[in-house]
Amino acid sequence: MKVAETAEILLKNQIDTTQLPEHIAIIMDGNGRWAKSKGKLRVFGHTNGVKSVRAVTEACAELGVNYLTLYAFSSENWSRPRAEVAALMELLVHTIRKELKTLQDNDIKLNAIGHLGNLPDKCKLELEEAIKMTKNNSRMTLTLALSYGSRNEIVDAVRSIALDVKNGDLSIDDIDDQLVANHLYTHNLPDPELLIRTSGEQRISNFMLWQMAYTELYFTPTFWPDFQKEEMYKAILAFQNRERRFGKTSEQVKA
Ligand code: FPP
């Protein structure tokens, strides 16, 4: 057995599988810089980033994490160079097609959030098909955030609530936390308990702003293509060492 594999197993064995975060969200960052550091084009970083998508999905499913959400393309990413956007969309189509069988074999349900209507037709069709094919899977839900922006999501929710009030279907007194949450794209997902961002940046970048009110944030300098199972285990172990107080005192939590 290789040294790296041994380190991976040692880390995995330290994880308390009864205390896993129910929902992990990831901002996959650093593909471009990873490629550049190797003298390659940015797209090479994205292509290698898919290997990390595979590794973390597998790691989460094996451990028993119920929800994994990946920020794959933000509403702001549309302003990247046209060729890079096209390459990312192509990669998405190719990956969904290639990985559909793996999702089925592992009982993983695919889900997507964002302004999906803005995606190229080919991408939309491939995604819709994979979502339909995996809708009865129940081991884990893998959500891809695509053309996603949290402020757009909140604006859409406010509009939809306002419309319900205007039509007389809802009273203003009925508006509370839960009602707002029910109008978000993530209405069928629990709030993430752990957010991971790779590449050393320490920002949330318009990702699940409402849902992250009490999420534990974990930042690592590792670029996304280097974020493999071992890194995932480290993030979960860091989460398990946090004290989550939800506004209470440490003494209250311990009691
Ligand atoms: C951020 O790195 C990464 C993205 C904008 C795209 C992420 C996409 C993938 C990993 C591949 C496809 C994903 C799926 C789910 C099939 P960056 O380009 O911002 O890197 P930089 O900050 O170093 O420039």
Side-chain angles (χ1 to χ4, degrees):
M1 198 180 285
K2 288 187 214 142
V3 178
E5 280 173 37
T6 318
E8 187 185 300
I9 293 167
L10 284 174
L11 282 167
K12 188 179 180 185
N13 288 342
Q14 287 174 49
I15 294 174
D16 177 353
T17 50
T18 67
Q19 299 293 330
L20 289 170
E22 193 190 10
H23 181 181
I24 301 180
I26 308 183
I27 302 180
M28 309 180 288
D29 197 8
N31 292 349
R33 279 164 286 164
W34 181 86
K36 206 170 158 198
S37 74
K38 297 186 161 5
K40 306 272 191 187
L41 296 174
R42 296 176 55 80
V43 174
F44 182 69
H46 297 316
T47 314
N48 277 275
V50 174
K51 293 182 193 158
S52 304
V53 169
R54 208 170 204 282
V56 300
T57 305
E58 203 175 283
C60 287
E62 281 169 0
L63 285 169
V65 172
N66 293 329
Y67 298 90
L68 173 65
T69 298
L70 304 176
Y71 202 5
F73 194 86
S74 73
S75 44
E76 290 76 20
N77 284 152
W78 290 113
S79 31
R80 290 198 171 192
R82 220 159 37 166
E84 184 173 340
V85 171
L88 275 167
M89 293 300 145
E90 200 51 54
L91 190 60
L92 194 68
V93 171
H94 178 79
T95 307
I96 295 171
R97 199 173 291 161
K98 189 160 162 267
E99 301 296 341
L100 181 59
K101 188 172 180 315
T102 318
L103 294 177
Q104 294 291 46
D105 291 349
N106 290 284
D107 199 17
I108 297 170
K109 181 195 214 154
L110 187 68
N111 178 40
I113 52 172
H115 277 180
L116 307 177
N118 293 344
L119 299 172
D121 286 345
K122 205 160 82 169
C123 199
K124 242 180 330 204
L125 288 174
E126 204 69 46
L127 195 61
E128 279 165 9
E129 181 66 11
I131 290 173
K132 204 166 82 187
M133 304 271 286
T134 60
K135 74 175 191 320
N136 294 322
N137 293 349
S138 59
R139 184 178 178 194
M140 184 176 90
T141 299
L142 171 65
T143 300
L144 300 181
L146 293 163
S147 190
Y148 174 90
S150 188
R151 287 187 172 179
N152 284 339
E153 178 183 33
I154 293 170
V155 169
D156 285 349
V158 171
R159 283 194 179 141
S160 147
I161 294 169
L163 195 65
D164 286 349
V165 172
K166 186 179 162 203
N167 293 339
D169 296 330
L170 186 72
S171 142
I172 288 183
D173 293 337
D174 293 333
I175 302 175
D176 59 11
D177 278 25
Q178 196 51 54
L179 185 116
V180 173
N182 289 346
H183 282 78
L184 298 174
Y185 309 151
T186 51
H187 56 89
N188 50 358
L189 306 176
D191 288 344
E193 288 182 288
L194 170 63
L195 169 82
I196 299 169
R197 183 173 187 149
T198 58
S199 92
E201 308 297 348
Q202 302 194 4
R203 289 188 287 278
I204 295 184
S205 300
N206 203 11
F207 189 41
M208 299 210 276
L209 302 178
W210 171 279
Q211 298 87 336
M212 285 214 236
Y214 280 101
T215 302
E216 294 296 326
L217 309 181
Y218 177 86
F219 300 107
T220 167
T222 304
F223 290 142
W224 179 248
D226 286 331
F227 193 92
Q228 299 294 316
K229 283 186 175 181
E230 193 177 325
E231 295 287 327
M232 188 74 211
Y233 299 148
K234 283 186 199 161
I236 294 175
L237 284 167
F239 169 85
Q240 294 189 330
N241 281 310
R242 302 267 176 100
E243 182 183 63
R244 307 190 74 206
R245 292 199 290 274
F246 301 99
K248 294 184 179 164
T249 67
S250 185
E251 290 72 20
Q252 283 176 305
V253 173
K254 287 194 180 96

